[in-house]
Amino acid sequence: MTSTTAVPADPPVDLWSPRLRAMTVGSVALVSLLAFEALAVGTAMPTVARSLDGLGLYALAFGGSFASGVVAMVASGIWCDARGPRPAMWHGVVWFVAGLVVAGAATTMEVLVVGRVVQGFGSGLVSVALYVVVGQAYPEQLRRRIFAAFAAAWVVPSLVGPALAGLIVEHLGWRWVFLAVPAVAIPAALLVQPGLRALTATVATRPPAGALARIGWACGAGASAALLHYGGQQRGVLAAALIAGALAGLFVCVPHLLPAGFLRAARGLPTVIGLRALASAAFVAAEVVIPLMLSRERGLSPTGAGLVLTVGALSWSVGSWIQGRIRSPRSAATLPRAGLACITIGTAGVASALVPGLPVLPAVLSWSVAGLGMGLLYPSLSVLTLEQSAPAEQGRNSSALQLGDSLAAATVLALTGAVLAAGASPGPAGFATTLAVAATCGLLGLLLAGRVVLR
C-alpha cells in the first residue's frame, strides 16, 4: 500500500494578496495622483496666469503638456517592449516629479510652461507603463478588477480634486497644487518597485524595428495636438484655420502610431482601439456641453450643473465595479456592446434638457446611464488589448489604446468649441448638434462592437 503526500494548494491570488498588495496600492496611488494633477491644474491655472502675468501663454500651458504626453506614450510603449516597464515607470515618475517642482517654483509663465511640458512627458511614460505592469504582473482573472480599481482612482479626484485644489490655492497658494504631489508620488513608486524587478527578465533587450520612425511620427502628432488645443481656444477664421491644419497633421501622423487596419475597423485590436476612441469622443462631447447647457437653458447654478457631472462620475465607478465582478462574459463583445449601448442612449437622452416642458431629471438619469456605459466599456477594452497583444507588444498596443483615447478627446473638444462659438452665443442648436455627434459616435461604436472578436 502506497501513501501519497498532499501538496498544499497555492493560496488564492487576489489584488490584496501578499504578493500583489504593494503593487496594487502603489499603482492605484499613482493613477490617483495623475488624475488629481490633471484635474487640479485646471482649477489653479487662472490664478497662476494672473500671478505670473502670463495669460498669453495660458493655452500653451495645457497644450504643451498634452503634446509631450502624446510623445511619451509612444516612447513608453517602445521602451516597455524592449526593456520591460521598470525603466519607463521610474523615468516617468522622475520626469513627473521634476516637472511639478519646476512648475511650483516658477517665477515666470515661460518657466511654468516648461514644467508642464516635463510633467506631461512623465505622465505619459507612467500611464503606459502601468498597463504593461498589469499585463505582466496580474493573472488574467484579476485584470478586470485592477482596471476597475484604476477607474475608481480617477473618480475620487474628479469628485474632490477641483474643490481641494481651490482650497489649496486660497489658503496655501497655487504653488502647493504642484509641490504637494511629489510627497506622495515617490512613496507610491517605491511600493511598486519590488514587483517591477521580477518583470524585466521576460522581455527582449533591443528596441523593435521602426522605433525611431514611430518617435518621429509621435512628435508630429504631438505638435498637431498642441495646435489643435490652441486652435480650439480661438475664435473665428483663425480658429478654423488652426483646427483644419491640426486635423490634417493628425490625419497624416496618427495612422503610423495605431495598428494596421484601424481606419477600416479590422477585426481584433484595431477595433478595440477604435471603440475606445469613439467612446471617449462621445462622452467628452456630451460632458463639455452639459454644465453650459443646464446653466443657460434651465437656469441651474454652477454647483447644480457640476453635480450632474458628479452623477456621471459615480455611475462610471459603479459600471467599472460591475464589470470587475463578471467572471466570464458570454463573448468578448458583450461588455463593449452593453457599454456603447448605454453611452448612445445616455448621450442622446441628455438632450431632453433642451425640451422646455420636461423636468431636468430625465437628463440627469440619462447622464448616469452614459457614465455606467463608460464604466462597463473602458476596463473591458483595456483587458482585451492585453489579451490580444503578444508579450513583446503590450507596450506598443497599450500606448496605441491611450493615444487614440487622448487624441479623440482633444479633437472633439476643439470641434465642440468651434460649434459652440459659431453663433453670437451658445444656444439650443449648438447644444443639440454636439449631443447628436456624441450619440452618433456611440452608435457607430455599437455597430462595430462585434468586430472585437477575432475569427
Side-chain angles (χ1 to χ4, degrees):
M1 184 174 181
T2 60
S3 62
T4 59
T5 301
V7 178
D10 291 334
V13 179
D14 189 75
L15 293 182
W16 310 107
S17 62
R19 181 168 69 84
L20 293 175
R21 185 183 301 125
M23 179 79 80
T24 299
V25 172
S27 298
V28 171
L30 285 173
V31 173
S32 292
L33 291 173
L34 295 179
F36 172 78
E37 200 58 31
L39 295 163
V41 167
T43 302
M45 277 304 298
T47 301
V48 174
R50 288 193 298 270
S51 174
L52 299 180
D53 192 24
L55 288 175
L57 295 176
Y58 186 89
L60 189 58
F62 290 96
S65 175
F66 185 85
S68 65
V70 167
V71 177
M73 288 177 194
V74 176
S76 185
I78 295 171
W79 205 350
C80 289
D81 288 340
R83 301 291 301 277
R86 184 183 179 190
M89 177 74 78
W90 269 108
H91 275 265
V93 171
V94 170
W95 282 76
F96 181 64
V97 169
L100 290 169
V101 172
V102 170
T107 56
T108 67
M109 194 66 172
E110 288 81 1
V111 174
L112 185 129
V113 169
V114 171
R116 290 282 292 149
V117 169
V118 172
Q119 175 193 341
F121 191 80
S123 298
L125 290 176
V126 171
S127 63
V128 172
L130 283 171
Y131 271 55
V132 180
V133 166
V134 171
Q136 295 187 11
Y138 289 82
E140 188 173 336
Q141 67 270 24
L142 291 183
R143 290 175 185 170
R144 292 189 186 280
R145 297 188 64 185
I146 186 62
F147 281 124
F150 286 177
W154 268 93
V155 168
V156 174
S158 72
L159 296 177
V160 305
L164 180 59
L167 291 173
I168 292 173
V169 169
E170 289 179 16
H171 298 286
L172 297 178
W174 63 264
R175 297 183 185 277
W176 288 102
V177 172
F178 299 96
L179 296 177
V181 174
V184 183
I186 295 174
L190 292 174
L191 284 173
V192 177
Q193 171 67 6
L196 290 177
R197 291 197 190 101
L199 303 182
T200 56
T202 61
V203 295
T205 57
R206 298 181 63 184
L212 188 60
R214 283 177 57 78
I215 294 294
W217 290 115
C219 290
S224 299
L227 184 62
L228 182 67
H229 188 96
Y230 181 77
Q233 298 189 10
Q234 308 307 309
R235 294 292 180 266
V237 176
L238 176 61
L242 292 175
I243 291 174
L247 290 177
L250 291 175
F251 184 79
V252 171
C253 297
V254 171
H256 295 275
L257 303 173
L258 300 180
F262 170 79
L263 293 177
R264 57 183 175 83
R267 283 192 173 276
L269 190 64
T271 294
V272 171
I273 292 173
L275 294 188
R276 177 82 165 247
L278 287 169
S280 179
F283 195 81
V284 169
E287 185 178 48
V288 75
V289 302
I290 285 174
L292 185 60
M293 178 181 69
L294 293 179
S295 175
R296 294 182 67 90
E297 303 301 320
R298 305 308 294 264
L300 266 66
S301 67
T303 301
L307 287 175
V308 177
L309 298 184
T310 300
V311 169
L314 291 174
S315 62
W316 186 324
S317 181
V318 171
S320 297
W321 182 87
I322 291 172
Q323 68 80 37
R325 266 64 186 172
I326 298 176
R327 293 186 178 274
S328 54
R330 179 173 297 181
S331 84
T334 299
L335 287 171
R337 277 201 183 104
L340 285 159
C342 290
I343 293 167
T344 303
I345 294 169
T347 53
V350 169
S352 65
L354 295 172
V355 181
L358 290 179
V360 177
L361 182 60
V364 177
L365 295 177
S366 294
W367 189 237
S368 71
V369 171
L372 181 70
M374 293 294 280
L376 293 173
L377 180 78
Y378 257 52
S380 63
L381 293 180
S382 300
V383 170
L384 282 173
T385 299
L386 294 177
E387 287 179 353
Q388 297 182 14
S389 301
E393 295 181 341
Q394 288 181 342
R396 175 172 181 158
N397 294 338
S398 295
S399 73
L401 182 74
Q402 297 183 45
L403 191 66
D405 184 346
S406 298
L407 292 177
T411 300
V412 79
L413 281 173
L415 295 178
T416 297
V419 169
L420 294 180
S425 62
F431 298 139
T433 300
T434 302
L435 293 172
V437 170
T440 301
C441 289
L443 179 59
L444 178 59
L446 179 59
L447 295 175
L448 295 173
R451 299 182 67 81
V452 300
V453 179
L454 290 167
R455 289 180 184 172

